[in-house]
Structure formats: C-alpha cells, structure tokens
Amino acid sequence: MKNLLVTGGAGFIGSHLVRLLVHKYPQYRIINFDALTYAGNLENLTDVDQAPNYVFVKGDICDAEAVRLALKQYEIDTILNLAAESHVDRSILDPLAFVRTNVLGTATLLNEARSLWRDRTDVLFYHISTDEVYGSLGAEGFFTETTPYDPRSPYSASKASSDHMVRAYGHTYHIPFRISNCSNNYGPCQFPEKLLPLMIQHVQAGKPLPVYGKGENVRDWLWVVDHCTAIDVILHKGKDGETYNIGGNNEWKNIEVVYLLCELMDEALGQTPGTAAGLITFVTDRPGHDLRYAIDASKLKHELDWEPSMDFREGLRQTIRWYLDNPEWVVRVLSGEYQAFYEKQYAHR
Ligand code: NAD
Ligand code: TYD
C-alpha cells in the first residue's frame, strides 16, 4: 500500500488520522480528499501540510469526476472513507443532506474504485462507520459485529446504508473491503456543536449547559487518537471482508459525563467547585433519542491486539486544555472563517 486516499481528512477524526499516517508512514503518500464543509477545517493540519508525503485535494465524494481524477492522478490503492455528515441533530433537521453525502457519496467512491481497480486484489476500501447502525440498547448487553442493524436516526440510517453499500460492492464486484464501527469519539478539534466541546464553550461563557431529556442516555466515549490507532491496526493487520467494532470500555450517562466535565472545568478555570455544574439545564429531549450504545470490542482485542490507552479523566483534561488554549480556532470554525484560510493558503496551490 502506497497511495492512500483519506476522505474527510480535514474533519475531527480525519485530521487526527492524517497526522498519524503522515508521521508514521513516510513511505506512503497520504491524499486528503475533503469538500471542506462547515465541519472540515485545514487549520487542523497546519503541522503536517508541508510534509512531502501529504497532499490536499478539495473535492466532494458525490462528484464522480473529481473522485475519478484523484484516484487516477495519485494512483490510489487504498481508500479510507471518513467523509460524512456526522451530527445526529443536523440529520434530524436535514436528512437528505445525510443521504446525499453518506449514501450517494460512499456509493460514488465505490463505483469509481470499481471501474478503476477492476478485480485488483492489492487494493482496499476501508469504510469508517459508527456503532449507531446497531440501534439502541436497554440497560444490558453490548453491540457485537453480528448484532443486526437497526438504525433509528437519519444519521445512523445513512451510515448503515453506506455500510451495506460497501459490503454489496465488495461481494458483487470483488472489491477488497473492511469496515469498522466505532463509539463516540472525543478530543481536540471536534466541531463545537457536539456534546463535549459545546459544554466546554458554554461553561467558559457562563451559558446554560443543555442536557437533553433527563441526561439518562448512555454513550461509550473513546479518545480520538485511540480510534485512529485502531484504524491503523485494522488497515495493516485486519482481514478483508471483516467488520471490527471499536470502543472505549467507557460507558457514561450523559448527565454523569457533564458533571465530570464541569468538575474538570472548575479545576482548569480555577473556579469554586460546583460553579460550572450550576449551569446544567435540562432541555427538551432529542426526537427518537437512542438510550444506550455500548461496544463489545473483544474481537479487536483478541484478533488484532488493540485496546484503548487513554484514561477518560486525563483525556478530558487534555481536551479541555486544548479548547482553552485555542479560543480563536472555535471562533473561526463557528463563523465559517476557516474557509477564508483555505482560500489564502491552498486555493492557489
Ligand atoms: P466531522 O463532521 O468532524 O468531519 C467530516 C469531514 O468530512 C469534514 O472534513 C467534511 O468537510 C468532510 N465532508 C463532508 N461531506 C463531504 C463530501 N461530500 N465530500 C468530501 N468531504 C466531505 O466528522 P467526524 O466526527 O470526524 O467523523 C468522521 C467519520 O467517522 C464519519 O464517517 C463518522 O460517521 C464516523 N464516526 C464518527 C464518530 C464520532 O464520534 N465523531 C464515531 C464513529 C464513527
Ligand atoms: P452527540 O455529541 O451529538 O453524539 P451522538 O448523538 O452521536 O451520540 O451527543 C452525545 C450525547 O449527548 C447524545 O446522547 C445527545 C446528548 N446531547 C445533549 O444532551 N446535549 C447537547 O447539547 C448535545 C449536542 C448532545
């Protein structure tokens, strides 16, 4: 494997993955293919964008011609597909945007790979997906790789659909593929409307912390770099045609995670303990809010020897520190100003 196309490489997880790959595999060429939507920000990658093995291509995965050009021009033999619309709340407001990028975009990538790769066996389509495709759990049990799909939000239905497309193209056209389904990521550079960065901003501004419903919903939280090391392991040691669940063994009720975050924010800001928690406000629940996600990641542990490494409190401390140290990043991302950054730094290249 020499020429990797990472779609969505300017996003939250994608940028951490690109950084890992660029540093760890100088012999590979890493092509970051990203449409730079509201969620894609090249500022996330200023520390690697001069590396000789890194290339950025502005492109939409729904644009067959742009995809074809990139696959040909860079002789791509490996696609890591992370480009997606990724926020459940947005999918409730605008489901078709999710169908477009997540379903049609993934199918377009597969279709171009199919015509270009033509039964090659030295290629790989690695699709990055979510545990939300499995639906919602009650108080007990875990998602395994054989749990039937039961998506319940437009986001998870579009990701489930894209997973099915990958398997269908793989089986029908003999495209070697792998899929991983991961739990909730956290860490630096996450778009500030997702739970944890949103709460960090609100504590700083002294604004109410909106907890949906009673905060009883449970999520499994994984440090974003741990997700990327799992992707690296699956890319290099995984088997074609296989699915791998990735999780943090780290389940928390939303209200508990918000209390923990508040405690750490008080500590970081030098505030009286309890100050941040005083901002917690219960708000109207998300429609169709899945109660609990929990991952059984034992396949990854036993077959590929991967385990999460980051302690949750420490990961949250590092996340908080990063947001406190980068207030201008938040302002630019929320205002869409980073698009101007692209025009200035990249458009002429
Ligand atoms: P993100 O929203 O932060 O980033 C998505 C990236 O994709 C952005 O850079 C955006 O510009 C790009 N993009 C969007 N539409 C595109 C298109 N049509 N063509 C090209 N690029 C496009 O998302 P994220 O949180 O980094 O998630 C990355 C992937 O991982 C997604 O596929 C998501 O479903 C999956 N995932 C995310 C999580 C999580 O907790 N964030 C958990 C499991 C799986
Ligand atoms: P989110 O970060 O949107 O991830 P997902 O919905 O994909 O799990 O939300 C994580 C959890 O936090 C989810 O149960 C919804 C809840 N939540 C709130 O309670 N308040 C908020 O403002 C947000 C954005 C999320």
Side-chain angles (χ1 to χ4, degrees), residues 11-13 34-35 37 40 60-61 82 84 86 129 155 159 182-183 185:
F12 167 47
I13 301 169
D34 197 298
T37 68
D60 184 335
I61 58 167
L82 289 91
S86 69
S129 192
Y155 166 65
K159 290 297 289 185
C182 187
S183 58
N185 287 214

Side-chain angles (χ1 to χ4, degrees), residues 290-310:
D290 286 343
L291 179 65
R292 175 171 167 259
Y293 305 138
I295 284 270
D296 175 347
S298 54
K299 175 174 171 180
L300 200 50
K301 181 176 175 186
H302 295 131
E303 292 187 11
L304 303 185
D305 199 24
W306 176 90
E307 277 189 282
S309 69
M310 180 58 91

Side-chain angles (χ1 to χ4, degrees), residues 7-14 33-41 59-62 81-87 100-102 128-131 155 159 181-186 189-191 194 227:
T7 73
F12 167 47
I13 301 169
F33 186 91
D34 197 298
L36 300 182
T37 68
Y38 78 92
N41 181 4
D60 184 335
I61 58 167
C62 301
N81 184 30
L82 289 91
E85 287 294 337
S86 69
H87 192 180
R100 180 184 179 274
T101 289
N102 301 358
I128 284 49
S129 192
T130 166
D131 61 349
Y155 166 65
K159 290 297 289 185
N181 297 86
C182 187
S183 58
N184 287 57
N185 287 214
Y186 72 99
C189 299
Q190 186 167 33
F191 196 79
K194 300 273 173 84
H227 186 187

Side-chain angles (χ1 to χ4, degrees), residues 87-88 132 184 193 195 198 210-212 219 254 286 289:
H87 192 180
V88 174
E132 303 186 24
N184 287 57
E193 68 186 17
L195 178 72
L198 180 121
V211 173
Y212 297 164
R219 297 292 182 263
N254 288 341
R286 170 188 283 173
H289 196 173

